[in-house]
Amino acid sequence: MGKLIRLELFNFKSYRGHHTLLFSDSYFTSIIGPNGSGKSNSMDAISFVLGIKSSHLRSAHLRDLVYRGRVLRKSRMNGDGSATAPVENGLANGDTQQGEGDEDDVDGGVSQATGTQGERNDPKTASVMAVYEDDAGEEQRWKRSITAQGASEYRINSRVVTAQQYNQALEAENILIKARNFLVFQGDVEAIASQSPKDLTRLIEQISGSLDCKAEYERLREAAEQATENQNDHLNRRRAINSEVKQYQEQKREADSYAKKAKERDQAIVTHVLWKLFRFQQVMDQSSAEIQRHQEELKELERGLESYESRLEDARKDQARSAREVTKVERGMKERQKEIEEQENSLVPVDEKIAITERSVKSYSAKIVEISKEEDAQSSVVNRLGKDLDLVGKAQAKWEADWQKAARSEGRALGDDDLQEYKRLRERVHATSSADEGKVDTLARQLKTEEETVSSLRGRLDSAQWQVQKLDEEIKELSGRRDLMRDRVKKAADEINAKKKELNALTSERLRTARMQTELDEKLQDTLKGLLEADDGRRQTERERRIRETVAGLKRIYPGVRGRLGELCRPKQKKYGDAVSTVLGRHFDSIVVDTEKTAKDCIQYLRDQRAGQATFIPLDSIQVKTPNTNLKGMHARMRMAIDTIEYDNAFERAMLYACGNAVVCDDLSVAKYICYERGVEAKAVTLEGTVIHKGGLITGGRGPGQQNSRRWGDAEVEDLQRIRDELLAQLAALPKDGKRRVAEETLQGELTGLEQSVAYGKEELKGFERNIESKKKELTFGKRQLAEAQEKFDEKHQRVLRLRAEVDEIQEAVRSVEDEVFVDFCRRLGYKDIREYEVQQGSREQDAAQRRLEFTMQRSKLESQLSFERQRLQSTQDRIRRLKEKSESDEGLLAELQAEKERIEGEVQSMSEDLDELKGRLDEANERHATKAEKVAERRREVQRRRQELEGVQRTVAGLEAEVQRNAAGRYGLLRRCKLEDVRVPLARGSASLEAIPVDEALQADPDAMEIDDDPEAEAVLEQNLSDFGVRVNFDGLDDELKEDASNDKLDAKLQERISTLAAELDKMAPNARAMERLEGVESKLRATEKEFERARREAKRARDDFQDVKDKRFDLFNRAFTHISEQIAPVYKDLTKSAQMPLGGQAYLDIEDTDEPYLEGIKYHAMPPLKRFRDMENLSGGEKTMAALALLFAVHSYQPSPFFVLDEVDAALDNANVARIAGYIRRHAGPGMQFVVISLKTGLFQNSDALVGIYRDQTANSSKALTLDLRKYQ
């Protein structure tokens, strides 16, 4: 196959001037470009040059396809550069879609524009030429132009041709314009995804070409049906005339023997009637004697039964009294048990509160003990510090005393002269160095002051260091206790979580059980609703149940009973259910038996057992008329009723008898056509159950009789009953809710206690955190004070050092003056210098001062520590006091709870004792009740035995009475028939005539029917039947042999057979006195009718042959295309959906509704994406629909494929994964014989193509332009 080389556009839509879209030798070309550039116009160009009408190209007229460069004054710019006129004008420029129109209409223009087309110098003509290279390598140029008059002109290789020749040239290259299987426009994928089965059938008809045969098919089918109908009319007419001729010939022969046969028949009837009347009278006399004997026996049995029933009633009253006593005791026990259970349940929260309170008291006690230890330790510290302070005071006082004593004992005293000299020399030194001495004194005082300050700061520094160390130890201790409490809280929280999980599990199980019970209840309600709905059609009334039991009993007793007619057949298709039920009607419940004797035995059994009425169909003697074969094939939508059911061949006679000539029609119009227009005298039944009777009466709607159609679903009802039993068993197996609730309440109580413990623990943790935080703040403050004290101490210490240095410097100058002045004084007294003398006298004072300063600092330090420890001790004592108050409060609550528990336990104990007493009373009452129940059972058995004896006698009497009634009714019916049929029965002398027998049918009863319930009307019939109305029959004319064999059924059958034989012979004869006169005229009419029939037969054969040829042609065309597409759809869809993760891909198939004539019905398309199930198209997602629709398009295109395939943005609704699959599929299948041209905006698609044709909008030129890029050199 060839390929499309290029497109040449001239003034087409948005392409101004001449433009070329080059595809060259690429088999996979993508047309890309931004929105509004004119990509879709290239699709329109391809469609236009291939002959597609303008109505399919988003334009109303051919003129709208010609380029227009200017815009209306109020126009709106389109995405591709064209303009749209205002909505009210109804027209637009460019390629805006206007609606459907004929491409030959050249009058469509624009009225409200800035100027006419000529005034704007816009082009008036346009053309598109496709250059195509065929298999031989020769180029063909297909060109379609729009003339100035708005008409199309076609050229092939520059030669003007007609549109038909143009299409033929395209079809020669397998380019089918009507099918358009090579063009996929925007929106086509969505349309295919949402099309109906009928639309898919039409698509395949277009592809296959079978649509061209549709008109001829319809015409020839109608002609064939008309010809066949005409032939059947002539055939029926010929048959009727033939029958008429034969009838007149036979009538002449029968007329002679008719009189003789009639006399023999009358005598046989009289003999049979006399024999039956004699038999009836004989049986009635014998049965009446037996009844009289049994009546006496019944009276005796009834008297005995009344006595036993009276004794049974007394025993029942005693049993009822004992039962009420048992019930009363049981009710009291249940009430007491409920009270005990309530009290025991009320104990659970009390026990939990007691446990929680006990744990709280223990916790408080443990804390008090622990804090008391701290108090003892702190008290010992306070006492130790007080003792140390007292010891320091005592040490200081002792030292003062010792120092005064030593001073007095060790001091050396100078003489007065020496002292006076010392003073004089000191004054001299003072006079010489008074200024330096003043400075030294001043500095000494300052130095003393600073030294005292330094000493005080040293005390403060030591106190701050000790306090910081103490606070650090307390923080560590509190942190340890906090961590311990945190562990306890965590352990309790874990236990809470475990309890909660257990509680949640119990709650979930209870909720799951409740939800399961709800679901089972809902399912049970639905099942019961289904049973009620099913029972609406097959209601299990007492009569229905008895009928089933009766039929089952008959089958067991009589092997010849086959079953009810409705159970022996089944509709071939479900749609025939209502129609078949309507056709069978009253015969639906008729019982099929092998022989007439079996039927009579069954009737006798039903009478004896009073088991109801039933109709029997004996297979050996039932009169069956052969169905009219002319009805078959009379209409395509009509069929014989016998052909719509399935049955065993052994029951064919019964089915033919029930169905007769009834026909089943698809709808009422067909039934009317058969009965009214064709004049067929047969019962016509529609699929909905509407009936047209032979007389023309129409019966419709849904009545009680049509409920038989539901009887076909017995298996479904049995399934519903089985499901109901299973649901009831599952409901019974569900666990009870009482014990689980008790366990939940217990766990809830434990959880409450644990949560309170956790709450208390968290409060403790918060207290610890607050204490630790407070201690940390104190520690921070202490460290800050320590740092400040250290800083001040260092500063003062440095100042002391400076003052000492300054004092030493000045004192050195003073000492030099002193050495010079006191040199002789010291040498005389033996001192090295004057300072040695003064030291001996002044060092003791200095030592004393230093010693006093040390005592002062030690006392200050001890006092600070003592004050701090006393504060700590007071705080600890306050904590102990608060804990004791809480402990005392909880102990009081615990005492109250213990009292409450003892009270409840006492009440439970008292109730338990009452319950034990009630149990004893119940045992005694049960024993008494069992004794009385046994007595009642014994008397009931005796009454039942007596009643069974009575019922046995009653059944015997009833059977005899029934026998008398049956024979009386038979006698009455026989006499009545004799009166009606004028049978001359010999009567005794003095007997009333047969005219005394009433013939009112309203009072008559069927002698073969069985009454179910008592009926006053039936009693009236019985009384009338038992009366002989004064008619006495004379049996003298009856042979003695017949009298002796009066009970022989074979004799009855023999006599009836004789009568039937004679009657049948008479019926067959049916002489006609004018038969000879009419025979000649009928024979002449027969000859003319045969000629007309032969002519009609030839015409019908010719019409059928012509129709069959067209039908075969249409079927072959359609079936060939469908078979190919159906075979291709699965591999194509699999190829499109498979991936590395899902190598098998998806599955798809086409489902045809009518295999005989598929083009008349729909075709369903089913797709199963990977890892999903089969579903209809409307149930798929958007992407899945697109993939399924593309698979269908590719499969359709594979049938008579064109050389190229053009797709316009079919990937718009696909994600990247599906776009990659589409690209891969096109890539694999693109090649010689399959060229793809794809318009797309998805990178995942066009990046895999062989060539790109880029469309862009040149705003300067106001035109779309194209560029071509070959990608194969880059791949």
Side-chain angles (χ1 to χ4, degrees):
M1 302 178 77
K3 61 182 176 180
L4 193 62
I5 302 300
R6 65 180 181 275
L7 280 179
E8 296 183 6
L9 289 74
F10 178 71
N11 292 335
F12 184 80
K13 293 195 114 176
S14 62
Y15 293 87
R16 180 180 184 181
H18 187 276
H19 298 272
T20 301
L21 275 64
L22 182 62
F23 306 133
S24 65
D25 58 347
S26 169
Y27 289 102
F28 182 8
T29 304
S30 295
I31 300 176
I32 64 174
N35 289 328
S37 61
K39 298 188 304 300
S40 296
N41 290 340
S42 61
M43 177 70 171
D44 293 342
I46 296 175
S47 305
F48 173 75
V49 75
L50 295 178
I52 303 299
K53 290 185 177 183
S54 62
S55 59
H56 297 292
L57 304 178
R58 303 177 296 165
S59 299
H61 308 287
L62 284 176
R63 284 177 177 165
D64 296 333
L65 301 178
V66 181
Y67 173 82
R68 296 184 181 184
R70 296 193 179 185
V71 182
L72 297 176
R73 182 183 296 111
K74 296 182 181 180
S75 295
R76 174 178 56 83
M77 292 301 296
N78 291 328
D80 57 0
S82 61
T84 303
V87 176
E88 59 270 22
N89 293 335
L91 298 172
N93 285 329
D95 57 347
T96 304
Q97 185 174 356
Q98 295 296 315
E100 297 299 330
D102 190 353
E103 64 181 8
D104 296 328
D105 184 3
V106 297
D107 295 331
V110 180
S111 59
Q112 302 296 328
T114 58
T116 63
Q117 195 176 35
E119 292 173 351
R120 298 196 309 266
N121 295 322
D122 285 341
K124 297 182 180 180
T125 62
S127 65
V128 179
M129 182 175 69
V131 180
Y132 176 79
E133 183 181 285
D134 57 17
D135 293 337
E138 297 180 359
E139 287 189 355
Q140 296 186 28
R141 298 172 181 269
W142 301 325
K143 183 176 181 181
R144 183 182 179 188
S145 304
I146 303 174
T147 65
Q149 291 76 26
S152 292
E153 180 184 76
Y154 299 93
R155 292 177 181 268
I156 299 178
N157 296 329
S158 302
R159 181 173 57 87
V160 178
V161 296
T162 64
Q164 183 178 1
Q165 292 172 338
Y166 195 80
N167 286 338
Q168 289 175 353
L170 294 176
E171 289 177 359
E173 295 298 329
N174 215 22
I175 302 174
L176 306 177
I177 302 303
K178 293 182 180 180
R180 287 197 303 161
N181 60 331
F182 56 90
L183 296 174
V184 182
F185 292 92
Q186 286 186 10
D188 280 358
V189 174
E190 290 78 3
I192 290 173
S194 59
Q195 66 182 350
S196 65
K198 287 282 189 181
D199 295 334
L200 182 55
T201 302
R202 182 174 179 83
L203 174 63
I204 295 180
E205 277 208 279
Q206 289 176 342
I207 297 302
S208 64
S210 65
L211 190 62
D212 298 336
C213 303
K214 181 178 181 180
E216 186 69 10
Y217 172 88
E218 298 288 346
R219 183 185 65 80
L220 291 176
R221 184 179 67 177
E222 184 176 357
E225 290 178 353
Q226 185 64 34
T228 302
E229 183 178 352
N230 189 27
Q231 177 191 356
N232 290 335
D233 289 341
H234 286 87
L235 177 62
N236 292 333
R237 193 178 301 116
R238 189 187 72 171
R239 288 176 176 173
I241 295 173
N242 270 328
S243 300
E244 217 173 332
V245 170
K246 292 179 181 179
Q247 180 181 0
Y248 290 140
Q249 291 174 350
E250 290 293 332
Q251 285 177 356
K252 185 177 180 302
R253 290 191 296 269
E254 292 174 355
D256 297 335
S257 59
Y258 181 79
K260 181 180 180 181
K261 293 290 183 183
K263 185 176 181 180
E264 293 179 4
R265 180 202 60 189
D266 293 342
Q267 184 59 40
I269 290 174
V270 170
T271 302
H272 183 249
V273 168
L274 285 174
W275 178 82
K276 290 191 72 175
L277 289 173
F278 180 81
R279 179 181 179 181
F280 288 148
Q281 189 63 43
Q282 186 181 45
V283 173
M284 289 172 61
D285 295 340
Q286 294 174 357
S287 298
S288 297
E290 288 292 324
I291 290 173
Q292 186 64 32
R293 184 175 60 82
H294 287 297
Q295 288 291 347
E296 297 298 329
E297 185 179 353
L298 274 176
K299 293 179 181 179
E300 186 65 26
L301 289 174
E302 287 174 353
R303 286 192 295 269
L305 180 61
E306 289 177 359
S307 173
Y308 280 101
E309 286 178 345
S310 175
R311 293 167 61 188
L312 174 62
E313 185 63 26
D314 294 338
R316 283 177 175 172
K317 291 179 180 179
D318 292 341
Q319 183 187 13
R321 284 193 293 271
S322 64
R324 286 194 296 272
E325 182 181 357
V326 171
T327 303
K328 181 178 179 181
V329 175
E330 288 179 345
R331 189 183 304 113
M333 286 182 64
K334 289 181 179 179
E335 293 175 356
R336 189 63 64 188
Q337 288 175 348
K338 184 177 179 181
E339 293 175 356
I340 291 174
E341 184 178 356
E342 291 176 355
Q343 292 294 334
E344 289 177 347
N345 290 337
S346 64
L347 272 177
V348 174
V350 174
D351 290 336
E352 289 299 322
K353 291 180 181 178
I354 290 174
I356 293 169
T357 308
E358 287 177 347
R359 287 195 294 269
S360 300
V361 171
K362 290 180 181 179
S363 175
Y364 291 145
S365 300
K367 290 179 182 178
I368 290 173
V369 171
E370 185 178 354
I371 297 174
S372 297
K373 293 179 180 179
E374 295 180 8
E375 180 189 16
D376 296 339
Q378 292 170 1
S379 298
S380 63
V381 171
V382 169
N383 294 331
R384 180 176 56 78
L385 290 175
K387 292 178 180 179
D388 290 346
L389 185 60
D390 293 340
L391 184 61
V392 170
K394 292 178 180 179
Q396 183 177 5
K398 184 176 181 299
W399 176 82
E400 288 286 349
D402 292 342
W403 183 79
Q404 292 290 341
K405 183 178 179 180
R408 289 193 298 270
S409 63
E410 294 180 1
R412 292 192 309 181
L414 295 178
D416 294 334
D417 294 337
D418 293 334
L419 289 172
Q420 290 296 328
E421 185 178 0
Y422 172 77
K423 292 179 179 178
R424 181 178 57 77
L425 291 175
R426 177 53 65 187
E427 290 176 357
R428 179 181 172 186
V429 171
H430 180 69
T432 303
S433 59
S434 60
D436 290 336
E437 286 180 352
K439 290 179 180 181
V440 169
D441 292 339
T442 301
L443 291 174
R445 286 193 300 274
Q446 291 180 1
L447 179 60
K448 185 177 180 182
T449 302
E450 293 298 333
E451 285 178 345
E452 290 178 355
T453 302
V454 168
S455 177
S456 176
L457 289 174
R458 167 61 67 183
R460 288 175 58 191
L461 183 62
D462 293 340
S463 177
Q465 286 178 346
W466 181 85
Q467 189 172 1
V468 166
Q469 182 180 0
K470 191 68 175 177
L471 287 173
D472 193 22
E473 292 176 356
E474 290 179 355
I475 288 173
K476 289 181 180 179
E477 181 184 0
L478 289 173
S479 297
R481 292 170 62 190
R482 179 197 62 187
D483 294 340
L484 181 61
M485 181 57 68
R486 186 176 292 164
D487 292 339
R488 292 178 181 175
V489 171
K490 185 175 181 302
K491 183 178 179 181
D494 293 341
E495 190 173 354
I496 287 175
N497 292 332
K499 295 290 185 182
K500 283 184 177 180
K501 288 181 180 178
E502 186 176 355
L503 179 61
N504 291 336
L506 288 174
T507 305
S508 300
E509 180 65 22
R510 179 172 57 81
L511 294 176
R512 185 186 68 80
T513 303
R515 183 172 61 254
M516 186 180 299
Q517 184 175 3
T518 302
E519 293 175 355
L520 290 175
D521 286 337
E522 292 176 354
K523 292 180 180 178
L524 182 60
Q525 292 301 322
D526 294 340
T527 304
L528 293 176
K529 183 179 179 182
L531 284 172
L532 288 175
E533 292 175 354
D535 201 36
D536 184 52
R538 49 185 305 278
R539 191 174 303 278
Q540 296 294 331
T541 60
E542 184 65 21
R543 179 179 179 276
E544 176 70 16
R545 183 185 63 79
R546 286 199 294 179
I547 288 176
R548 290 179 178 273
E549 292 178 355
T550 300
V551 173
L554 291 175
K555 286 183 178 181
R556 289 192 301 270
I557 298 172
Y558 304 104
V561 178
R562 299 304 184 90
R564 290 193 293 177
L565 186 68
E567 297 173 349
L568 300 178
C569 64
R570 183 169 296 275
K572 290 183 178 179
Q573 297 183 24
K574 191 175 182 180
K575 64 180 182 179
Y576 297 139
D578 289 341
V580 171
S581 299
T582 305
V583 169
L584 296 180
R586 60 188 178 88
H587 295 300
F588 194 94
D589 289 325
S590 298
I591 302 174
V592 179
V593 296
D594 289 343
T595 63
E596 184 177 355
K597 183 179 183 305
T598 303
K600 292 181 178 180
D601 293 340
C602 292
I603 292 174
Q604 184 64 37
Y605 173 80
L606 294 178
R607 289 171 177 170
D608 295 342
Q609 299 298 322
R610 293 176 177 251
Q613 296 179 349
T615 302
F616 294 88
I617 301 177
L619 295 175
D620 63 336
S621 61
I622 192 71
Q623 298 295 324
V624 179
K625 295 182 180 180
T626 305
N628 187 0
T629 56
N630 294 330
L631 297 177
K632 294 186 177 180
M634 184 172 289
H635 195 281
R637 300 171 64 191
M638 180 272 290
R639 60 210 53 82
M640 297 289 291
I642 192 66
D643 296 333
T644 62
I645 58 176
E646 296 176 349
Y647 55 85
D648 193 324
N649 291 332
F651 312 129
E652 183 176 8
R653 288 175 57 82
M655 301 303 167
L656 290 173
Y657 171 76
C659 294
N661 286 331
V663 296
V664 176
C665 305
D666 288 355
D667 51 40
L668 186 59
S669 61
V670 177
K672 289 181 178 179
Y673 170 78
I674 296 297
C675 295
Y676 298 154
E677 298 183 17
R678 299 298 300 276
V680 175
E681 293 185 359
K683 182 167 70 173
V685 183
T686 66
L687 297 179
E688 291 79 14
T690 303
V691 184
I692 299 180
H693 299 275
K694 293 181 181 181
L697 180 65
I698 299 179
T699 302
R702 179 170 293 275
Q706 284 182 324
Q707 293 180 356
N708 289 331
S709 61
R710 294 296 303 274
R711 299 188 184 182
W712 309 119
D714 286 345
E716 298 177 1
V717 175
E718 292 176 0
D719 291 340
L720 289 175
Q721 292 173 346
R722 177 181 53 78
I723 294 173
R724 178 198 61 191
D725 296 338
E726 292 177 356
L727 292 175
L728 290 174
Q730 292 177 9
L731 281 172
L734 289 177
K736 304 304 179 184
D737 200 33
K739 295 182 179 180
R740 189 177 290 106
R741 286 189 178 275
V742 174
E744 287 184 19
E745 292 176 357
T746 303
L747 284 175
Q748 192 66 45
E750 294 177 357
L751 274 175
T752 303
L754 289 173
E755 287 173 352
Q756 290 182 0
S757 299
V758 170
Y760 294 153
K762 288 183 178 179
E763 289 296 327
E764 290 291 330
L765 283 176
K766 289 180 181 178
F768 282 128
E769 293 291 346
R770 288 193 296 269
N771 290 340
I772 292 173
E773 187 65 26
S774 176
K775 294 297 182 181
K776 285 183 178 179
K777 290 180 180 179
E778 292 179 10
L779 179 61
T780 302
F781 179 73
K783 287 182 178 180
R784 187 167 61 250
Q785 285 185 333
L786 178 61
E788 292 175 357
Q790 184 69 42
E791 183 179 358
K792 290 181 180 179
F793 175 78
D794 293 340
E795 181 182 355
K796 292 297 182 180
H797 182 66
Q798 292 296 328
R799 181 173 177 79
V800 168
L801 293 178
R802 288 195 300 272
L803 287 174
R804 284 178 179 173
E806 190 175 354
V807 169
D808 291 342
E809 183 180 357
I810 297 173
Q811 282 182 346
E812 186 64 30
V814 173
R815 280 195 294 270
S816 63
V817 173
E818 287 178 347
D819 291 341
E820 183 179 354
V821 173
F822 285 100
V823 62
D824 296 331
F825 179 77
C826 292
R827 184 180 298 115
R828 181 171 58 78
L829 292 177
Y831 291 101
K832 182 178 179 181
D833 51 37
I834 191 60
R835 288 182 295 281
E836 182 178 357
Y837 167 76
E838 290 177 348
V839 166
Q840 184 178 2
Q841 296 298 322
S843 60
R844 186 178 295 277
E845 292 293 336
Q846 292 177 358
D847 291 340
Q850 182 66 29
R851 188 67 173 172
R852 291 189 185 94
L853 179 61
E854 290 177 356
F855 278 117
T856 301
M857 290 176 62
Q858 192 171 6
R859 285 176 60 84
S860 176
K861 180 178 180 180
L862 289 173
E863 287 174 355
S864 298
Q865 290 179 358
L866 183 59
S867 176
F868 175 76
E869 289 297 334
R870 283 175 176 170
Q871 291 177 0
R872 286 185 61 202
L873 179 61
Q874 184 63 36
S875 175
T876 301
Q877 290 174 348
D878 292 341
R879 287 173 59 197
I880 292 174
R881 178 179 52 77
R882 288 194 298 271
L883 287 174
K884 286 182 178 180
E885 290 175 355
K886 290 181 179 180
S887 178
E888 291 173 357
S889 175
D890 287 349
E891 287 176 355
L893 177 61
L894 181 61
E896 293 176 0
L897 292 173
Q898 290 288 357
E900 178 69 14
K901 180 179 179 181
E902 291 176 357
R903 182 186 64 77
I904 294 173
E905 288 178 347
E907 292 179 357
V908 170
Q909 181 64 28
S910 175
M911 292 178 183
S912 299
E913 293 175 356
D914 294 342
L915 182 62
D916 294 338
E917 182 180 354
L918 288 174
K919 286 181 179 179
R921 291 173 55 190
L922 178 63
D923 293 338
E924 295 175 358
N926 282 330
E927 290 178 0
R928 292 192 298 272
H929 181 68
T931 302
K932 294 180 180 181
E934 180 62 28
K935 185 177 180 181
V936 169
E938 181 180 354
R939 293 187 178 180
R940 183 185 292 112
R941 287 191 295 270
E942 183 64 25
V943 169
Q944 289 176 351
R945 187 178 62 80
R946 297 278 181 170
R947 186 173 289 136
Q948 287 174 358
E949 293 178 1
L950 180 62
E951 289 176 352
V953 176
Q954 287 176 342
R955 281 195 298 271
T956 303
V957 172
L960 292 171
E961 289 177 347
E963 185 69 23
V964 172
Q965 294 172 7
R966 185 168 58 253
N967 285 273
R971 181 188 63 182
Y972 167 76
L974 191 57
L975 291 173
R976 178 175 174 273
R977 195 187 76 180
C978 291
K979 175 182 177 181
L980 295 175
E981 296 179 0
D982 196 20
V983 177
R984 299 187 179 278
V985 179
L987 301 176
R989 179 173 298 182
S991 170
S993 67
L994 293 180
E995 296 298 326
I997 303 297
V999 294
D1000 187 3
E1001 295 186 1
L1003 295 177
Q1004 308 308 314
D1006 185 0
D1008 292 334
M1010 187 67 203
E1011 297 296 334
I1012 296 177
D1013 300 322
D1014 293 337
D1015 188 356
E1017 185 175 322
E1019 293 295 333
V1021 172
L1022 177 60
E1023 292 177 2
Q1024 189 163 355
N1025 288 341
L1026 292 176
S1027 174
D1028 58 5
F1029 302 100
V1031 176
R1032 297 191 297 277
V1033 180
N1034 184 3
F1035 297 107
D1036 295 339
L1038 187 64
D1039 294 341
D1040 293 337
E1041 295 180 358
L1042 294 177
K1043 292 181 180 179
E1044 293 175 358
D1045 294 339
S1047 60
N1048 191 351
D1049 292 335
K1050 293 182 179 180
L1051 183 59
D1052 183 27
K1054 183 178 179 181
L1055 293 173
Q1056 285 184 347
E1057 183 179 1
R1058 173 62 177 166
I1059 296 173
S1060 299
T1061 302
L1062 293 172
E1065 292 176 357
L1066 286 172
D1067 292 339
K1068 291 178 182 179
M1069 294 168 66
N1072 185 2
R1074 302 182 60 187
M1076 291 299 296
E1077 298 177 4
R1078 303 190 61 182
L1079 180 60
E1080 185 176 350
V1082 173
E1083 288 177 346
S1084 176
K1085 187 178 178 181
L1086 176 62
R1087 289 190 292 271
T1089 303
E1090 286 179 345
K1091 292 179 181 180
E1092 293 176 358
F1093 169 72
E1094 188 63 26
R1095 183 173 63 255
R1097 185 182 62 79
R1098 290 194 299 269
E1099 292 177 356
K1101 184 178 184 304
R1102 183 172 61 255
R1104 285 194 300 270
D1105 292 341
D1106 294 342
F1107 171 68
Q1108 190 63 37
D1109 293 340
V1110 173
K1111 178 181 176 182
D1112 293 341
K1113 179 181 177 182
R1114 187 179 184 187
F1115 178 80
D1116 292 340
L1117 290 173
F1118 186 90
N1119 192 54
R1120 192 180 306 118
F1122 174 78
T1123 302
H1124 175 84
I1125 295 170
S1126 181
E1127 291 174 351
Q1128 291 295 319
I1129 190 68
V1132 170
Y1133 185 71
K1134 178 180 180 181
D1135 197 9
L1136 279 174
T1137 55
K1138 68 181 181 180
S1139 62
Q1141 293 78 16
M1142 293 170 287
L1144 296 179
Q1147 299 182 29
Y1149 68 93
L1150 296 176
D1151 185 13
I1152 195 168
E1153 295 181 356
D1154 189 348
T1155 56
D1156 295 332
E1157 293 187 88
Y1159 37 78
L1160 297 181
E1161 300 296 337
I1163 296 176
K1164 290 186 178 180
Y1165 179 27
H1166 302 276
M1168 183 183 74
L1171 302 180
K1172 294 186 179 180
R1173 60 182 177 84
F1174 277 110
R1175 59 183 71 182
D1176 291 335
M1177 188 65 68
E1178 59 268 16
N1179 296 327
L1180 299 178
S1181 64
E1184 291 171 345
K1185 284 184 179 179
T1186 301
M1187 295 298 286
L1190 285 174
L1192 180 61
L1193 285 173
F1194 289 144
V1196 169
H1197 180 264
S1198 66
Y1199 181 74
Q1200 294 183 355
S1202 63
F1204 50 82
F1205 201 7
V1206 185
L1207 306 172
D1208 186 3
E1209 295 190 22
V1210 297
D1211 55 355
L1214 298 179
D1215 54 15
N1216 292 333
N1218 286 326
V1219 169
R1221 294 189 180 101
I1222 293 295
Y1225 179 85
I1226 295 176
R1227 185 77 180 175
R1228 289 190 298 273
H1229 292 80
M1234 179 59 76
Q1235 180 185 12
F1236 286 91
V1237 178
V1238 181
I1239 300 175
S1240 176
L1241 291 174
K1242 297 292 183 71
T1243 307
L1245 182 59
F1246 64 71
Q1247 70 182 2
N1248 291 294
S1249 58
D1250 296 335
L1252 294 178
V1253 175
I1255 307 298
Y1256 66 97
R1257 183 75 178 178
D1258 189 344
Q1259 298 296 339
T1260 303
N1262 195 19
S1263 172
S1264 298
K1265 293 187 177 181
L1267 297 174
T1268 301
L1269 176 62
D1270 191 346
L1271 297 179
R1272 287 172 292 185
K1273 63 179 71 176
Y1274 304 107
Q1275 294 176 351

